[in-house]
Amino acid sequence: MLRLTWMLSFIKQMLPLSVRVNLWRLRNKSQNLRQRLNHRLTGRCHVCQGKNFRRYSNPVVARLPFSFYICTQCGFIFALPPSNLSEVYAEITTTEFGEGEATWNRHYLDSINKYTNAPGKLLEIGFGNGSFLKLAHEEGWEVYGAELSAPLVNHAREELKLPNIGLGTIEELNYADGSFDVVAGFNFIEHVPDPKGTLEGLWRILKPSGIVVLMCPNISGIYHLLMPEILADNDPLKISWVPPHHLSYFNKTNLRVLLENSGFTVVGDESHLMSSLWRQFEVNIGPQVTDSKLQQLISEIRDSPSQKGEARVEKYREAIKSLLVERMTWTMLSDLSALEPLLGAEVGVLLLGKRQGE
Ligand SMILES: [Zn+2]
Protein backbone atom coordinates (compact mmCIF):
# COMPACT_ATOMS: atom_id res chain seq x y z
CA MET A 1 0.00 0.00 0.00
CA LEU A 2 2.80 2.35 0.98
CA ARG A 3 4.65 1.41 -2.16
CA LEU A 4 1.59 2.15 -4.31
CA THR A 5 1.10 5.55 -2.62
CA TRP A 6 4.76 6.32 -3.19
CA MET A 7 4.54 5.30 -6.86
CA LEU A 8 1.41 7.40 -7.43
CA SER A 9 3.05 10.43 -5.88
CA PHE A 10 6.18 9.79 -7.98
CA ILE A 11 4.10 9.61 -11.18
CA LYS A 12 2.25 12.77 -10.15
CA GLN A 13 5.54 14.63 -9.74
CA MET A 14 6.51 13.59 -13.30
CA LEU A 15 3.40 15.21 -14.83
CA PRO A 16 3.79 18.67 -16.33
CA LEU A 17 2.83 21.53 -14.01
CA SER A 18 -0.23 22.50 -16.08
CA VAL A 19 -1.66 18.95 -15.76
CA ARG A 20 -0.94 18.89 -12.01
CA VAL A 21 -2.66 22.25 -11.57
CA ASN A 22 -5.72 21.04 -13.52
CA LEU A 23 -5.96 17.83 -11.49
CA TRP A 24 -5.72 19.83 -8.28
CA ARG A 25 -8.45 22.22 -9.47
CA LEU A 26 -10.76 19.36 -10.43
CA ARG A 27 -10.28 17.51 -7.13
CA ASN A 28 -10.95 20.58 -5.02
CA LYS A 29 -13.90 21.78 -7.06
CA SER A 30 -15.69 18.46 -6.74
CA GLN A 31 -15.20 18.29 -2.96
CA ASN A 32 -17.56 19.77 -0.41
CA LEU A 33 -20.44 20.44 -2.81
CA ARG A 34 -22.97 19.42 -0.18
CA GLN A 35 -21.35 21.67 2.46
CA ARG A 36 -21.48 24.61 0.07
CA LEU A 37 -25.20 24.15 -0.50
CA ASN A 38 -25.88 23.63 3.20
CA HIS A 39 -23.94 26.77 4.15
CA ARG A 40 -25.84 28.80 1.61
CA LEU A 41 -29.11 27.74 3.25
CA THR A 42 -28.24 27.84 6.95
CA GLY A 43 -24.81 29.48 7.44
CA ARG A 44 -24.10 32.50 9.63
CA CYS A 45 -21.12 34.86 9.50
CA HIS A 46 -18.59 33.86 12.16
CA VAL A 47 -17.77 37.48 12.90
CA CYS A 48 -21.11 39.38 12.90
CA GLN A 49 -23.66 36.51 12.66
CA GLY A 50 -25.06 38.03 9.43
CA LYS A 51 -26.85 35.70 6.98
CA ASN A 52 -26.05 37.29 3.65
CA PHE A 53 -22.96 36.27 1.67
CA ARG A 54 -21.75 36.60 -1.88
CA ARG A 55 -18.94 34.86 -3.69
CA TYR A 56 -15.64 36.71 -3.33
CA SER A 57 -12.99 36.95 -6.01
CA ASN A 58 -9.91 38.90 -7.07
CA PRO A 59 -7.24 38.19 -9.73
CA VAL A 60 -5.44 35.68 -7.47
CA VAL A 61 -8.53 34.02 -6.05
CA ALA A 62 -9.93 33.58 -9.57
CA ARG A 63 -7.02 31.26 -10.35
CA LEU A 64 -7.70 29.01 -7.35
CA PRO A 65 -10.11 26.06 -7.24
CA PHE A 66 -11.70 27.12 -3.94
CA SER A 67 -14.92 29.03 -3.32
CA PHE A 68 -14.47 32.10 -1.14
CA TYR A 69 -17.34 34.08 0.37
CA ILE A 70 -17.66 37.57 1.76
CA CYS A 71 -20.20 38.65 4.39
CA THR A 72 -22.14 41.58 2.93
CA GLN A 73 -22.66 43.01 6.43
CA CYS A 74 -19.09 43.10 7.84
CA GLY A 75 -16.79 42.23 4.91
CA PHE A 76 -15.36 39.07 6.51
CA ILE A 77 -13.88 36.73 3.86
CA PHE A 78 -13.90 32.99 4.41
CA ALA A 79 -13.86 29.55 2.78
CA LEU A 80 -15.78 26.45 3.82
CA PRO A 81 -13.85 23.75 5.69
CA PRO A 82 -13.25 20.33 4.17
CA SER A 83 -14.84 17.37 5.96
CA ASN A 84 -11.52 15.70 6.84
CA LEU A 85 -9.89 18.64 8.66
CA SER A 86 -8.30 16.61 11.49
CA GLU A 87 -6.53 14.40 8.93
CA VAL A 88 -5.02 17.50 7.32
CA TYR A 89 -3.04 18.25 10.50
CA ALA A 90 -2.49 14.70 11.78
CA GLU A 91 0.95 14.15 10.28
CA ILE A 92 2.47 17.63 10.05
CA THR A 93 6.09 17.57 11.23
CA THR A 94 8.44 20.05 12.86
CA THR A 95 9.35 23.21 11.00
CA GLU A 96 12.14 25.46 12.19
CA PHE A 97 11.83 29.15 11.32
CA GLY A 98 15.40 30.24 11.95
CA GLU A 99 16.54 33.39 13.76
CA GLY A 100 13.22 35.21 13.34
CA GLU A 101 11.45 32.77 15.62
CA ALA A 102 13.31 33.97 18.73
CA THR A 103 12.26 37.56 17.90
CA TRP A 104 8.55 36.89 17.57
CA ASN A 105 8.40 34.42 20.51
CA ARG A 106 10.01 37.12 22.68
CA HIS A 107 7.45 39.64 21.46
CA TYR A 108 4.54 37.25 22.15
CA LEU A 109 5.71 36.67 25.73
CA ASP A 110 6.47 40.36 26.39
CA SER A 111 2.96 41.20 25.15
CA ILE A 112 1.42 38.60 27.49
CA ASN A 113 3.51 39.83 30.45
CA LYS A 114 2.32 43.37 29.75
CA TYR A 115 -1.34 42.42 30.38
CA THR A 116 -0.92 39.85 33.19
CA ASN A 117 0.44 40.17 36.73
CA ALA A 118 2.74 37.19 37.09
CA PRO A 119 3.49 33.92 35.33
CA GLY A 120 0.45 31.67 35.74
CA LYS A 121 -1.19 28.82 33.87
CA LEU A 122 -0.85 29.16 30.09
CA LEU A 123 -2.29 26.98 27.30
CA GLU A 124 -1.09 27.22 23.70
CA ILE A 125 -3.35 25.70 21.06
CA GLY A 126 -1.72 24.49 17.86
CA PHE A 127 1.77 24.91 19.35
CA GLY A 128 3.59 23.64 16.22
CA ASN A 129 7.29 23.15 16.90
CA GLY A 130 6.79 24.12 20.57
CA SER A 131 9.38 26.91 20.64
CA PHE A 132 7.03 29.47 22.23
CA LEU A 133 5.86 27.03 24.92
CA LYS A 134 9.49 26.21 25.70
CA LEU A 135 10.30 29.91 26.21
CA ALA A 136 7.24 30.43 28.45
CA HIS A 137 8.17 27.29 30.45
CA GLU A 138 11.73 28.54 30.95
CA GLU A 139 10.38 31.84 32.25
CA GLY A 140 8.24 30.29 34.93
CA TRP A 141 4.83 29.79 33.29
CA GLU A 142 2.96 26.57 34.05
CA VAL A 143 2.54 25.52 30.42
CA TYR A 144 -0.03 23.33 28.66
CA GLY A 145 -0.13 22.55 24.94
CA ALA A 146 -2.75 21.16 22.53
CA GLU A 147 -1.89 20.01 18.99
CA LEU A 148 -3.52 17.85 16.29
CA SER A 149 -0.28 16.41 14.92
CA ALA A 150 1.13 13.28 16.60
CA PRO A 151 4.73 13.93 15.42
CA LEU A 152 4.61 17.47 16.88
CA VAL A 153 3.16 16.17 20.16
CA ASN A 154 6.00 13.63 20.38
CA HIS A 155 8.55 16.33 19.59
CA ALA A 156 7.24 18.56 22.41
CA ARG A 157 7.16 15.68 24.91
CA GLU A 158 10.38 13.91 24.02
CA GLU A 159 12.76 16.51 22.54
CA LEU A 160 11.60 19.62 24.42
CA LYS A 161 10.62 17.71 27.59
CA LEU A 162 7.53 19.90 28.01
CA PRO A 163 4.84 18.89 30.54
CA ASN A 164 1.05 18.77 29.95
CA ILE A 165 1.16 18.17 26.18
CA GLY A 166 -2.08 16.84 24.68
CA LEU A 167 -3.01 15.40 21.27
CA GLY A 168 -6.41 16.63 20.09
CA THR A 169 -8.80 19.57 19.98
CA ILE A 170 -9.66 21.51 23.17
CA GLU A 171 -13.00 19.68 23.28
CA GLU A 172 -11.29 16.29 23.07
CA LEU A 173 -8.74 17.26 25.74
CA ASN A 174 -11.60 18.21 28.03
CA TYR A 175 -9.98 21.01 30.06
CA ALA A 176 -12.05 22.03 33.08
CA ASP A 177 -13.93 25.35 33.05
CA GLY A 178 -11.94 28.30 34.39
CA SER A 179 -8.55 26.53 34.13
CA PHE A 180 -6.18 29.05 32.57
CA ASP A 181 -4.83 32.56 33.10
CA VAL A 182 -3.82 32.77 29.43
CA VAL A 183 -4.84 30.88 26.29
CA ALA A 184 -2.73 31.64 23.22
CA GLY A 185 -3.14 30.78 19.54
CA PHE A 186 -0.47 31.98 17.11
CA ASN A 187 -1.32 31.34 13.44
CA PHE A 188 -4.29 29.40 14.77
CA ILE A 189 -7.68 31.13 14.47
CA GLU A 190 -7.49 31.38 10.63
CA HIS A 191 -7.27 27.55 10.49
CA VAL A 192 -10.36 26.60 12.51
CA PRO A 193 -13.74 25.82 10.85
CA ASP A 194 -15.79 27.78 13.41
CA PRO A 195 -13.85 30.78 14.82
CA LYS A 196 -16.72 32.04 17.02
CA GLY A 197 -17.48 28.60 18.48
CA THR A 198 -13.75 28.11 19.10
CA LEU A 199 -13.41 31.44 20.93
CA GLU A 200 -16.44 30.61 23.07
CA GLY A 201 -14.67 27.35 23.98
CA LEU A 202 -11.58 29.35 24.99
CA TRP A 203 -13.78 31.70 27.04
CA ARG A 204 -15.08 28.68 28.97
CA ILE A 205 -11.64 27.32 29.94
CA LEU A 206 -10.21 30.74 30.89
CA LYS A 207 -10.36 32.01 34.48
CA PRO A 208 -12.50 35.12 35.05
CA SER A 209 -10.48 38.08 33.65
CA GLY A 210 -8.18 35.59 31.88
CA ILE A 211 -6.46 36.68 28.67
CA VAL A 212 -6.82 35.26 25.16
CA VAL A 213 -3.96 36.07 22.74
CA LEU A 214 -4.42 35.68 19.01
CA MET A 215 -1.98 36.27 16.15
CA CYS A 216 -3.03 35.70 12.55
CA PRO A 217 -2.22 37.00 9.05
CA ASN A 218 -3.62 40.46 8.30
CA ILE A 219 -5.73 40.56 5.11
CA SER A 220 -5.29 44.37 5.14
CA GLY A 221 -1.49 44.10 5.39
CA ILE A 222 0.84 45.13 2.56
CA TYR A 223 1.55 41.55 1.56
CA HIS A 224 -2.09 40.52 1.16
CA LEU A 225 -3.09 43.81 -0.50
CA LEU A 226 -0.37 43.37 -3.12
CA MET A 227 -0.93 39.63 -3.51
CA PRO A 228 -2.33 39.80 -7.08
CA GLU A 229 0.82 41.54 -8.33
CA ILE A 230 3.23 39.48 -6.23
CA LEU A 231 1.75 36.21 -7.43
CA ALA A 232 1.09 37.22 -11.03
CA ASP A 233 3.44 34.60 -12.51
CA ASN A 234 3.74 32.20 -9.61
CA ASP A 235 2.78 28.57 -9.33
CA PRO A 236 -0.60 28.48 -7.50
CA LEU A 237 0.39 25.15 -5.90
CA LYS A 238 2.92 27.02 -3.79
CA ILE A 239 0.44 29.39 -2.15
CA SER A 240 0.30 28.42 1.50
CA TRP A 241 -2.57 30.59 2.73
CA VAL A 242 -5.46 28.79 0.98
CA PRO A 243 -7.84 26.03 2.17
CA PRO A 244 -7.70 23.49 3.67
CA HIS A 245 -5.23 25.38 5.88
CA HIS A 246 -6.47 28.98 5.96
CA LEU A 247 -10.25 29.20 6.14
CA SER A 248 -10.76 32.73 7.54
CA TYR A 249 -9.19 36.02 6.43
CA PHE A 250 -9.00 38.53 9.25
CA ASN A 251 -7.81 42.10 9.69
CA LYS A 252 -7.58 44.21 12.84
CA THR A 253 -11.19 45.36 12.55
CA ASN A 254 -12.96 42.04 12.13
CA LEU A 255 -10.73 40.11 14.54
CA ARG A 256 -11.60 42.73 17.15
CA VAL A 257 -15.34 42.37 16.39
CA LEU A 258 -15.06 38.57 16.60
CA LEU A 259 -13.39 38.80 20.03
CA GLU A 260 -15.98 41.27 21.29
CA ASN A 261 -18.86 39.10 20.02
CA SER A 262 -17.39 36.08 21.82
CA GLY A 263 -17.21 37.50 25.36
CA PHE A 264 -13.90 39.39 25.34
CA THR A 265 -12.82 43.03 25.61
CA VAL A 266 -9.80 43.84 23.47
CA VAL A 267 -7.16 45.19 25.87
CA GLY A 268 -4.10 45.18 23.60
CA ASP A 269 -3.02 45.56 19.97
CA GLU A 270 0.63 44.47 19.77
CA SER A 271 0.79 43.99 15.98
CA HIS A 272 3.61 46.51 15.55
CA LEU A 273 6.42 43.94 15.76
CA MET A 274 4.77 41.34 13.58
CA SER A 275 6.84 42.41 10.60
CA SER A 276 9.48 40.19 12.25
CA LEU A 277 7.53 37.34 10.63
CA TRP A 278 9.30 38.19 7.39
CA ARG A 279 12.52 37.05 9.03
CA GLN A 280 11.54 33.41 8.62
CA PHE A 281 12.57 33.78 4.98
CA GLU A 282 16.10 34.81 5.90
CA VAL A 283 16.87 31.08 6.18
CA ASN A 284 16.42 30.83 2.40
CA ILE A 285 17.63 34.19 1.23
CA GLY A 286 20.66 35.04 3.33
CA PRO A 287 21.34 38.44 4.91
CA GLN A 288 19.23 41.49 4.14
CA VAL A 289 20.42 44.15 1.73
CA THR A 290 19.68 47.81 2.21
CA ASP A 291 17.96 49.42 -0.71
CA SER A 292 18.27 53.18 -1.24
CA LYS A 293 14.93 53.45 -3.09
CA LEU A 294 13.24 51.78 -0.16
CA GLN A 295 14.94 54.07 2.35
CA GLN A 296 13.71 57.06 0.30
CA LEU A 297 10.17 55.76 0.33
CA ILE A 298 10.28 55.15 4.10
CA SER A 299 11.40 58.76 4.73
CA GLU A 300 8.70 60.08 2.42
CA ILE A 301 5.95 58.16 4.22
CA ARG A 302 7.34 59.15 7.62
CA ASP A 303 7.33 62.84 6.65
CA SER A 304 3.82 62.88 5.26
CA PRO A 305 1.39 61.95 8.03
CA SER A 306 -2.01 60.76 6.87
CA GLN A 307 -4.53 58.18 8.01
CA LYS A 308 -3.33 54.61 8.59
CA GLY A 309 -4.60 51.37 7.17
CA GLU A 310 -5.73 50.41 3.70
CA ALA A 311 -6.31 54.00 2.55
CA ARG A 312 -2.71 54.86 3.25
CA VAL A 313 -1.40 51.70 1.61
CA GLU A 314 -3.50 52.67 -1.41
CA LYS A 315 -1.80 56.07 -1.54
CA TYR A 316 1.65 54.48 -1.75
CA ARG A 317 0.51 51.37 -3.61
CA GLU A 318 2.26 52.11 -6.90
CA ALA A 319 5.56 53.01 -5.22
CA ILE A 320 5.57 49.92 -3.01
CA LYS A 321 4.44 47.68 -5.86
CA SER A 322 7.16 48.87 -8.20
CA LEU A 323 9.80 48.07 -5.56
CA LEU A 324 8.29 44.67 -4.87
CA VAL A 325 7.51 43.51 -8.36
CA GLU A 326 10.68 44.96 -9.91
CA ARG A 327 12.98 43.04 -7.61
CA MET A 328 10.63 40.26 -6.47
CA THR A 329 12.90 38.67 -3.89
CA TRP A 330 12.18 37.69 -0.32
CA THR A 331 15.00 40.04 0.63
CA MET A 332 12.92 42.94 -0.64
CA LEU A 333 9.86 41.65 1.22
CA SER A 334 11.97 41.38 4.33
CA ASP A 335 13.16 44.98 3.96
CA LEU A 336 9.62 46.15 3.34
CA SER A 337 8.74 45.11 6.86
CA ALA A 338 10.03 48.56 7.86
CA LEU A 339 7.09 50.09 6.01
CA GLU A 340 4.36 48.10 7.68
CA PRO A 341 4.16 49.78 11.10
CA LEU A 342 4.32 53.19 9.36
CA LEU A 343 1.30 52.30 7.27
CA GLY A 344 -0.56 50.43 10.02
CA ALA A 345 -0.61 47.50 7.59
CA GLU A 346 1.44 44.83 9.36
CA VAL A 347 1.69 41.34 7.95
CA GLY A 348 0.15 39.90 11.14
CA VAL A 349 -2.44 41.02 13.69
CA LEU A 350 -1.68 40.36 17.37
CA LEU A 351 -4.62 41.14 19.67
CA LEU A 352 -5.15 40.41 23.37
CA GLY A 353 -8.66 40.07 24.81
CA LYS A 354 -9.79 39.95 28.42
CA ARG A 355 -12.56 37.50 29.36
CA GLN A 356 -15.71 39.31 30.45
CA GLY A 357 -18.73 38.30 32.51
CA GLU A 358 -19.82 34.91 33.79
ZN1 LIG B 1 -20.22 39.35 8.92
Side-chain angles (χ1 to χ4, degrees):
M1 187 61 195
L2 255 179
R3 196 185 195 110
L4 183 68
T5 314
W6 181 84
M7 270 178 66
L8 281 175
S9 104
F10 180 75
I11 293 167
K12 230 160 76 183
Q13 291 307 315
M14 301 293 285
L15 295 170
L17 178 64
S18 59
V19 177
R20 276 193 288 141
V21 170
N22 282 332
L23 280 172
W24 173 71
R25 271 181 217 287
L26 208 65
R27 194 179 65 235
N28 281 291
K29 272 196 168 159
S30 63
Q31 280 175 358
N32 303 318
L33 272 176
R34 194 189 297 165
Q35 276 154 296
R36 290 220 295 263
L37 186 66
N38 189 36
H39 187 269
R40 192 150 279 210
L41 296 173
T42 61
R44 291 256 180 182
C45 171
H46 288 300
V47 169
C48 74
Q49 298 293 291
K51 284 172 77 175
N52 296 313
F53 315 101
R54 58 179 171 77
R55 286 288 280 272
Y56 171 80
S57 195
N58 68 30
V60 174
V61 164
R63 296 165 62 214
L64 300 171
F66 307 103
S67 302
F68 293 86
Y69 299 87
I70 183 165
C71 167
T72 55
Q73 195 167 306
C74 75
F76 172 57
I77 299 165
F78 61 96
L80 299 179
S83 48
N84 61 341
L85 202 59
S86 287
E87 288 166 35
V88 170
Y89 295 102
E91 290 303 321
I92 286 185
T93 51
T94 321
T95 318
E96 300 296 341
F97 298 103
E99 290 288 307
E101 197 163 15
T103 311
W104 65 72
N105 281 340
R106 182 73 263 159
H107 180 57
Y108 294 158
L109 199 55
D110 287 346
S111 302
I112 291 169
N113 287 332
K114 196 168 156 183
Y115 299 93
T116 49
N117 295 324
K121 216 166 152 183
L122 179 151
L123 167 70
E124 187 184 4
I125 314 164
F127 57 75
N129 70 14
S131 64
F132 170 76
L133 269 188
K134 187 163 178 281
L135 176 69
H137 184 52
E138 284 165 1
E139 301 203 0
W141 286 84
E142 184 186 346
V143 296
Y144 287 71
E147 189 32 87
L148 291 179
S149 152
L152 292 176
V153 162
N154 290 337
H155 173 77
R157 284 178 183 157
E158 280 152 34
E159 307 292 319
L160 305 180
K161 311 282 182 211
L162 289 170
N164 311 317
I165 296 298
L167 174 68
T169 62
I170 51 163
E171 291 77 22
E172 288 161 354
L173 292 167
N174 213 12
Y175 299 112
D177 291 3
S179 294
F180 299 100
D181 297 290
V182 174
V183 177
F186 306 118
N187 290 307
F188 162 72
I189 194 72
E190 72 276 21
H191 294 254
V192 304
D194 174 8
K196 189 162 188 293
T198 299
L199 278 181
E200 286 164 355
L202 304 191
W203 186 96
R204 183 184 62 76
I205 59 172
L206 272 167
K207 293 181 186 173
S209 300
I211 297 282
V212 67
V213 193
L214 296 176
M215 197 288 287
C216 68
N218 179 8
I219 190 78
S220 300
I222 291 182
Y223 182 62
H224 274 85
L225 290 177
L226 291 176
M227 194 74 84
E229 290 90 346
I230 295 171
L231 292 175
D233 302 312
N234 279 26
D235 173 358
L237 292 181
K238 288 188 181 150
I239 301 172
S240 64
W241 47 269
V242 294
H245 294 107
H246 288 199
L247 301 170
S248 295
Y249 297 86
F250 294 105
N251 58 22
K252 280 188 191 182
T253 310
N254 61 27
L255 189 64
R256 186 177 279 268
V257 173
L258 174 66
L259 279 163
E260 284 167 358
N261 285 349
S262 313
F264 297 93
T265 299
V266 176
V267 289
D269 174 358
E270 297 292 328
S271 313
H272 56 98
L273 263 176
M274 285 328 346
S275 48
S276 64
L277 291 174
W278 292 124
R279 293 191 54 190
Q280 65 184 288
F281 300 109
E282 282 177 5
V283 181
N284 307 322
I285 58 167
Q288 292 188 30
V289 292
T290 305
D291 186 280
S292 59
K293 271 195 187 175
L294 178 71
Q295 294 308 323
Q296 260 174 25
L297 184 62
I298 290 172
S299 327
E300 190 189 321
I301 295 174
R302 196 169 277 146
D303 295 343
S304 68
S306 67
Q307 68 186 120
K308 286 197 167 188
E310 289 188 31
R312 202 164 183 209
V313 173
E314 209 46 53
K315 184 174 169 192
Y316 293 101
R317 189 184 181 85
E318 287 310 310
I320 299 169
K321 196 175 81 183
S322 74
L323 276 173
L324 258 175
V325 179
E326 227 175 73
R327 316 258 155 76
M328 208 32 236
T329 65
W330 284 117
T331 311
M332 275 309 300
L333 286 178
S334 177
D335 283 346
L336 277 168
S337 65
L339 283 175
E340 293 176 345
L342 283 177
L343 296 164
E346 296 91 346
V347 67
V349 184
L350 176 61
L351 295 185
L352 295 94
K354 185 180 254 187
R355 183 190 186 277
Q356 296 299 313
E358 283 313 306

